[in-house]
Amino acid sequence: MNCFFKVGMPTLLAAIMLAGCGGGRGDDVVSAPQPQPEFNGAVSPVPAASGDTASDALTRFNLRRQQLGLRVLARTAPANNAAQKHADYQKVNDTITHEQIPGAMGFTGATLGDRLAAAGYRFQSAYAYGEVLSATSDPSGVRAADDLIAAVYHRFVIFDPVFKEVGLGAATASSGRTYLATNFVANGLDGGLGIGRIVVYPFPEQNSVPRNFFSDQEIPDPVPARNEVGYPISVHADITARIAVQEFLVRPRGGNPLPVRVLQNSADPLTPPSAASIVPLSPLERSTTYDVRFVGTVDALPVSKEWSFTT
């Protein structure tokens, strides 16, 4: 898998790659959509997987965004066109990449910005776009979406509150690899959470949360010293915001805080300023409720939140 994020004028670029087929999978991840508890209002019923990789991935992304209290993403023709053509490029060249090579078969634009422009976007002075990619031997869009959400650097893109539009494309190469390209777009940065607000994942009272994540499969590795770690826990503000962490911990109900690696922009430039995460250094226990506490600031405004989830 592969992830890319860009905001504002074309000055910020972070490339994150997840190597290996099916990467980032914990041992408890379900492979079909499962209803989850409601959060911030009613959650739409989840249709059964259709077998269409791109459509099933979008359903999964939008389910999770809705459960966080974020707007669902509208699948628009320009973003969809750019994503599908990039999936086709990866298929015919059988490679996962954000950058297309001029003259290569299927070339439509060297960068994501080029491809979105070719698809018809004319961006305002304030805008954001991002791209996450996967290449797996399993064509399940649900599984690809779950893997991308588990990979914490990718999650930062998928759950950014300002995104409004999305395009997805999928194509299967002769090698058997299915390439999924997802483009997130906000032409104008209005309509996010607002100043001083965050959302969290896993969301409050979420059940059947995966226990683990294989850190070595995400490149750069978010936890370099370990492979199998606990499922990442994250907080997300609008892309224009800056989060500072003062306290961020997780503990089993009635137990002690777990050892974790903290990801925040001040110490990890691959983490955007508008998000932060903790990654437990060991897998979580089965059928266990965990309590989380976050204390910090969002653009210098104090923010604190306590919530729980169950594996």
Side-chain angles (χ1 to χ4, degrees):
M1 296 178 193
N2 203 318
C3 146
F4 163 93
F5 200 31
K6 195 162 190 136
V7 57
M9 299 304 291
T11 56
L12 176 62
L13 174 66
I16 303 102
M17 294 175 289
L18 186 65
C21 291
R25 173 150 300 282
D27 62 357
D28 293 332
V29 176
V30 296
S31 58
Q34 300 292 320
Q36 296 290 340
E38 295 181 358
F39 178 67
N40 280 4
V43 173
S44 301
V46 183
S50 67
D52 180 283
T53 302
S55 294
D56 289 342
L58 176 56
T59 297
R60 195 66 161 183
F61 287 145
N62 271 339
L63 169 67
R64 293 308 190 203
R65 284 180 63 93
Q66 191 179 23
Q67 289 168 325
L68 268 69
L70 300 174
R71 77 173 114 207
V72 298
L73 302 170
R75 192 175 186 181
T76 60
N80 216 62
N81 184 48
Q84 184 59 58
K85 287 185 175 180
H86 192 54
D88 292 340
Y89 174 90
Q90 293 177 104
K91 169 189 171 180
V92 297
N93 294 284
D94 209 3
T95 185
I96 185 167
T97 178
H98 292 298
E99 305 292 327
Q100 294 187 11
I101 300 173
M105 188 177 300
F107 176 82
T108 56
T111 68
L112 173 58
D114 295 334
R115 297 189 291 273
L116 290 172
Y121 277 101
R122 299 296 179 266
F123 287 105
Q124 302 175 23
S125 58
Y127 64 90
Y129 54 75
E131 181 174 75
V132 295
L133 308 174
S134 68
T136 70
S137 58
D138 184 342
S140 167
V142 173
R143 179 165 293 181
D146 282 344
D147 286 343
L148 286 162
I149 291 169
V152 66
Y153 289 130
H154 299 70
R155 185 191 298 175
F156 293 146
V157 178
I158 296 164
F159 290 158
D160 193 283
V162 305
F163 285 130
K164 308 170 187 177
E165 302 175 35
V166 68
L168 300 94
T172 301
S174 58
S175 65
R177 283 187 290 269
T178 295
Y179 292 95
L180 173 68
T182 307
N183 293 342
F184 301 85
V185 181
N187 199 0
L189 300 184
D190 57 300
L193 294 174
I195 296 174
R197 296 187 62 194
I198 60 172
V199 294
V200 302
Y201 194 80
F203 57 83
E205 307 306 323
Q206 184 172 348
N207 294 315
S208 301
V209 173
R211 299 174 47 243
N212 57 353
F213 167 63
F214 290 96
S215 174
D216 286 358
Q217 300 213 20
E218 190 163 13
I219 303 171
D221 187 341
V223 189
R226 295 174 184 254
N227 182 21
E228 186 180 14
V229 293
Y231 195 72
I233 302 161
S234 54
V235 299
H236 308 259
D238 292 343
I239 196 171
T240 52
R242 178 170 290 274
I243 288 178
V245 176
Q246 296 170 356
E247 182 182 31
F248 201 172
L249 60 85
V250 59
R251 70 179 84 208
R253 180 69 52 86
N256 296 320
L258 302 180
V260 298
R261 177 174 172 82
V262 180
L263 301 177
Q264 62 175 322
N265 181 258
S266 60
D268 175 27
L270 293 175
T271 300
S274 59
S277 176
I278 51 173
V279 185
L281 297 183
S282 298
L284 304 179
E285 297 295 327
R286 297 179 186 274
S287 303
T288 300
T289 296
Y290 286 88
D291 296 318
V292 186
R293 175 175 170 82
F294 171 82
V295 179
T297 61
V298 179
D299 287 335
L301 295 176
V303 175
S304 64
K305 188 173 183 67
E306 295 184 4
W307 75 100
S308 63
F309 64 85
T310 302
T311 57

